């Protein structure tokens, strides 16, 4: 492990803070831009002009003086963002060297259609190449998301098997994978699905060698501290929570009750940010969001 990687590992393991999710992909970008105040008539959906707009938004967030390593552990990037620059510096390098924020990369290619009450990830045929590029650019870890709709034991088993299979492939490249088997917060069987997922995750961790490390990004659970044994597991670097459609206030309140869990919020982080805000107002809004999420993560991590 390089000196930089060891410093990143120490930060992710031990520091207070949360992981900022800035990894909206092509499918979710239009919604993120609309919330930011950029209308679809201002770009072509799925074209370079759209990615230019979202990169401009992310650049404004990342370069804000309020967005720094004092309260933020890491940031999850979309592939296009990783391949771009901020102030003339490759994004991952800028995050670590200028902000002391650990860079992660979203590697999944989206979701399959629903089957067995879950949505598996689409195949990731270029994963090895993508991981090699990420390592060369100074990325510390990866993230990949699948979705659970109902408490279907077979479907949840498939979700966990796929996540761990790709996770093993990523670990071989020297990266720390974040496995994100999200449970839909609107599921009528959310609590039952969480219990099934927890059991599958515990079982799959038994297959890892002592030197294999990963992270989990999980939906805030109905039962407080459901995932506390994962937080304390020797193969788990950290457990982080997704906001999953909860408001920032709702997510923060639930998170504060989860011992050892910190936030990895996307929509809750950018809530209220708009393109037409003055820089002072933008920074103040971002400062408030970061402060709320940081405090909730700090309470949870105690």
């Amino acid at each position: 492990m390089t000196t930089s990687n060891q410093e990143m590992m120490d930060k992710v393991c031990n520091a207070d803070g949360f992981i900022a999710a800035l990894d909206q992909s092509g499918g979710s970008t239009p919604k993120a831009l609309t919330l930011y105040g950029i209308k679809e008539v201002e770009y072509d959906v799925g074209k370079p002009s759209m990615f230019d707009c979202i990169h401009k938004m992310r650049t404004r967030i990342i370069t804000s003086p309020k967005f720094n390593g004092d309260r933020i552990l890491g940031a999850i990037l979309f592939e296009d963002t990783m391949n771009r620059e901020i102030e003339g510096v490759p994004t991952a390098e800028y995050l670590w060297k200028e902000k002391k924020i650990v860079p992660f990369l979203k590697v999944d290619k989206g979701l399959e259609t629903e089957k067995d009450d879950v949505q598996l990830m689409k195949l990731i045929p270029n994963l090895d190449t993508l991981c090699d590029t990420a390592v060369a650019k100074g990325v510390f870890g990866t993230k990949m998301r699948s979705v659970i709709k109902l408490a279907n034991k077979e479907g949840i088993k498939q979700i966990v098997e796929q996540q761990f299979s790709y996770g093993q492939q990523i670990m071989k490249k020297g990266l720390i994978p974040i496995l994100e088997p999200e449970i839909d917060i609107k599921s009528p069987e959310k609590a039952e699905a969480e219990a099934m997922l927890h059991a599958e995750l515990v079982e799959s961790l038994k297959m890892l060698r002592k030197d294999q490390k990963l992270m989990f990004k999980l939906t805030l659970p109905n039962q407080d501290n459901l995932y506390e044994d994962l937080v304390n597991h020797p193969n788990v670097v950290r457990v982080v929570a997704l906001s999953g459609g909860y408001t920032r206030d709702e997510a923060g309140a639930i998170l504060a009750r989860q011992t050892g869990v910190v936030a990895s919020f996307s929509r809750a982080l950018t809530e209220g940010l708009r393109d037409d805000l003055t820089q002072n107002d933008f920074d103040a809004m971002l400062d408030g969001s970061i402060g709320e999420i940081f405090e909730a993560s700090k309470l949870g991590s105690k």
Side-chain angles (χ1 to χ4, degrees):
M1 187 176 284
T2 66
T3 301
S4 286
N5 272 13
Q6 187 57 58
E7 289 175 0
M8 290 183 193
M9 178 67 86
D10 289 344
K11 173 151 194 169
V12 172
C13 284
N14 303 313
D16 287 331
F18 66 96
I19 294 178
L22 301 175
D23 60 327
Q24 296 91 350
S25 60
S28 56
T29 292
K31 185 174 182 180
L33 287 173
T34 298
L35 291 171
Y36 185 57
I38 302 293
K39 299 175 182 176
E40 285 194 23
V41 295
E42 299 179 52
Y43 59 86
D44 294 320
V45 175
K47 302 294 184 182
S49 59
M50 182 184 78
F51 294 108
D52 289 343
C53 287
I54 198 71
H55 187 66
K56 186 177 178 182
M57 170 186 158
R58 289 169 180 153
T59 296
R60 193 178 186 192
I61 292 169
I62 291 170
T63 56
S64 169
K66 306 301 181 182
F67 191 89
N68 61 64
D70 291 344
R71 296 181 293 179
I72 300 171
L73 297 174
I76 303 170
L77 306 174
F78 180 52
E79 184 180 356
D80 179 77
T81 309
M82 178 187 72
N83 290 329
R84 292 185 183 237
E85 296 182 346
I86 292 178
E87 296 185 344
V89 179
T91 305
E93 182 181 340
Y94 181 91
L95 279 169
W96 181 244
K97 291 189 175 178
E98 299 297 327
K99 298 281 188 165
K100 286 301 173 188
I101 292 173
V102 178
F104 292 82
L105 175 67
K106 169 189 164 72
V107 296
D108 68 79
K109 303 298 183 185
L111 301 171
E112 295 282 9
T113 55
E114 185 177 331
K115 183 182 178 184
D116 294 327
D117 303 313
V118 302
Q119 287 181 276
L120 293 167
M121 293 179 287
K122 291 180 179 177
L123 295 178
I124 315 174
N126 66 334
L127 183 57
D128 282 343
T129 302
L130 186 56
C131 287
D132 289 339
T133 301
V135 169
K137 289 181 177 290
V139 169
F140 174 75
T142 65
K143 193 223 59 165
M144 48 195 173
R145 169 180 174 264
S146 42
V147 175
I148 297 164
K149 299 287 188 180
L150 295 171
N152 182 313
K153 189 170 183 179
E154 182 56 36
I156 291 172
K157 184 178 179 66
Q158 291 173 33
I159 286 276
V160 173
E161 285 177 350
Q162 186 189 45
Q163 286 276 354
F164 270 81
S165 177
Y166 278 133
Q168 294 267 18
Q169 190 175 343
I170 290 162
M171 285 185 277
K172 288 178 182 177
K173 293 293 184 177
L175 294 162
I176 302 295
I178 300 176
L179 312 188
E180 183 185 8
E182 176 181 349
I183 295 177
D184 188 339
I185 65 167
K186 296 178 181 178
S187 172
E189 300 176 356
K190 182 172 180 284
E192 298 92 330
E194 286 169 347
M196 289 180 184
L197 174 63
H198 173 260
E200 289 291 342
L201 294 177
V202 169
E203 197 60 31
S204 293
L205 283 169
K206 295 176 182 177
M207 301 185 301
L208 299 183
R209 302 190 311 269
K210 287 184 179 180
D211 63 322
Q212 292 181 300
K213 306 291 183 183
L214 51 72
M215 298 171 64
F216 290 120
K217 180 171 179 175
L218 303 171
T219 302
L220 290 161
N222 284 20
Q223 178 188 324
D224 287 348
N225 291 318
L226 175 64
Y227 301 119
E228 191 170 4
D229 55 342
L230 302 182
V231 170
N232 297 318
H233 196 284
N235 291 102
V236 179
V237 174
R238 206 117 194 209
V239 176
V240 303
L242 58 106
S243 52
Y246 290 118
T247 66
R248 186 167 64 240
D249 287 344
E250 289 171 332
I254 301 169
L255 174 65
R257 302 196 302 267
Q258 312 307 315
T259 303
V261 178
V262 300
S264 178
F265 294 170
S266 171
R267 196 182 320 165
L269 171 65
T270 58
E271 194 176 299
L273 296 180
R274 290 185 57 83
D275 180 56
D276 57 6
L277 291 175
T278 66
Q279 194 58 47
N280 283 342
D281 287 346
F282 183 92
D283 289 341
M285 179 70 72
L286 184 61
D287 184 42
S289 298
I290 290 171
E292 285 183 28
I293 298 169
F294 174 77
E295 289 302 327
S297 290
K298 197 172 178 182
L299 284 171
S301 65
K302 288 181 179 178

